[in-house]
Amino acid sequence: MGTEPAAPGSAAERVAALAALLADETRAVICLALLDGRAWTAGELARRAGVAASTATEHLNRLVAGGLLAQERQGRHRYVRLADPAAARLVEGLAARAAPGGERPVGLRAVRTGSRLARGRTCYDHLAGRIGVAVTDAMVGRGLLAPDTDLTPTRAGRTWFAAQGLDLTPPGRRPVTRACLDWTERRPHLAGHAGALLCRHTFDHGWCRRVGTDRAVEVTPEGEERLGALLGIGAEVWRLPE
């Protein structure tokens, strides 16, 4: 008996089409760069991927048409970003799946970049790496998040977020909290609406700052003090060796 072909517009066809979008290395580089949660211009992404601007534009058009990226225009500039948190989870999940099991980065620059990303980074719009996991562990330890599969905020946690001026009511259908498996720490960090609020709060108040052109982040001296006071995290946690 022969195998029946997939029906037009079937789930199998949609999965294959989505996989094809990321089957190109240039498009993969673009999507990984956009995991920093910011909007980039086509020219910036072309330089990041090491391709001509016209080539980058062709790839961006495919990613936008496929629903992985969203675009907006301001004057003459076209900006693109990951379409939504679901698109970011897909890219981050593939990155985690593709992470080398025991290979070590080659070259001083690669070693430093990998170390910075492992210490702290943005995973779309929330904190990841050792920084993200340390914050999450502290919140669970203080009873602000439940140690369940979704890191559900407790009553004390909702009070804590409100005290920081952060409204846990999510826009649309996004979950309030979600546990995101960290691909370097292999343990969960806080995602969802609460994770995005907390990440933005740390940047707005100067507790965290971006490092270089990657999505790496670090905790500032003021952040060490404030996060220590709020969550009881010792300064030594942020000063792990590179």
Side-chain angles (χ1 to χ4, degrees):
M1 181 180 294
T3 302
E4 290 289 334
S10 68
E13 284 189 332
R14 293 193 296 272
V15 168
L18 181 60
L21 285 176
L22 292 171
D24 179 273
E25 186 174 348
T26 297
R27 291 195 291 274
V29 168
I30 288 171
C31 289
L32 287 170
L34 292 171
L35 274 176
D36 70 356
R38 294 178 288 185
W40 291 49
T41 66
E44 290 169 336
L45 289 168
R47 290 190 291 274
R48 180 61 176 268
V51 298
S54 58
T55 301
T57 296
E58 292 177 8
H59 287 300
L60 291 174
N61 288 342
R62 287 195 61 178
L63 290 165
V64 170
L68 281 179
L69 302 187
Q71 65 178 343
E72 57 186 71
R73 292 189 179 274
Q74 291 187 6
R76 296 180 302 166
H77 296 289
R78 175 202 194 192
Y79 291 88
V80 295
R81 64 173 71 245
L82 288 170
D84 50 36
R89 287 199 301 274
L90 174 64
V91 175
E92 181 78 5
L94 286 172
R97 185 74 177 181
E103 299 175 17
R104 298 182 65 84
V106 177
L108 182 59
R109 181 177 180 182
V111 170
R112 286 178 173 172
T113 298
S115 179
R116 285 198 301 265
L117 290 173
R119 182 178 62 183
R121 64 186 181 277
T122 51
C123 176
Y124 185 53
D125 59 0
H126 54 272
L127 295 172
R130 288 195 292 264
I131 290 174
V133 170
V135 168
T136 302
D137 284 349
M139 297 185 78
V140 171
R142 292 209 156 194
L144 306 179
L145 300 174
D148 57 24
T149 55
D150 294 320
L151 296 173
T152 307
T154 63
R155 180 177 298 180
R158 290 183 175 277
T159 300
W160 186 91
F161 273 94
Q164 313 312 313
L166 303 176
D167 183 2
L168 284 183
T169 304
R173 301 175 62 183
R174 188 174 191 184
V176 176
T177 56
R178 189 178 65 81
C180 182
L181 180 62
D182 197 282
W183 63 269
T184 52
E185 294 297 293
R186 305 293 175 172
R187 299 179 53 239
H189 59 245
L190 178 64
H193 179 59
L197 284 177
L198 188 57
C199 179
R200 186 165 62 246
H201 192 67
T202 64
F203 280 113
D204 289 347
H205 287 75
W207 301 350
C208 288
R209 62 187 171 207
R210 298 188 184 275
V211 183
T213 57
D214 292 299
R215 53 192 177 109
V217 301
E218 65 182 8
V219 175
T220 66
E222 182 180 359
E224 292 180 5
E225 180 181 343
R226 292 302 301 144
L227 290 171
L230 289 170
L231 295 173
I233 304 174
E236 67 278 1
V237 172
W238 317 123
R239 297 171 184 169
L240 292 171
E242 297 239 345

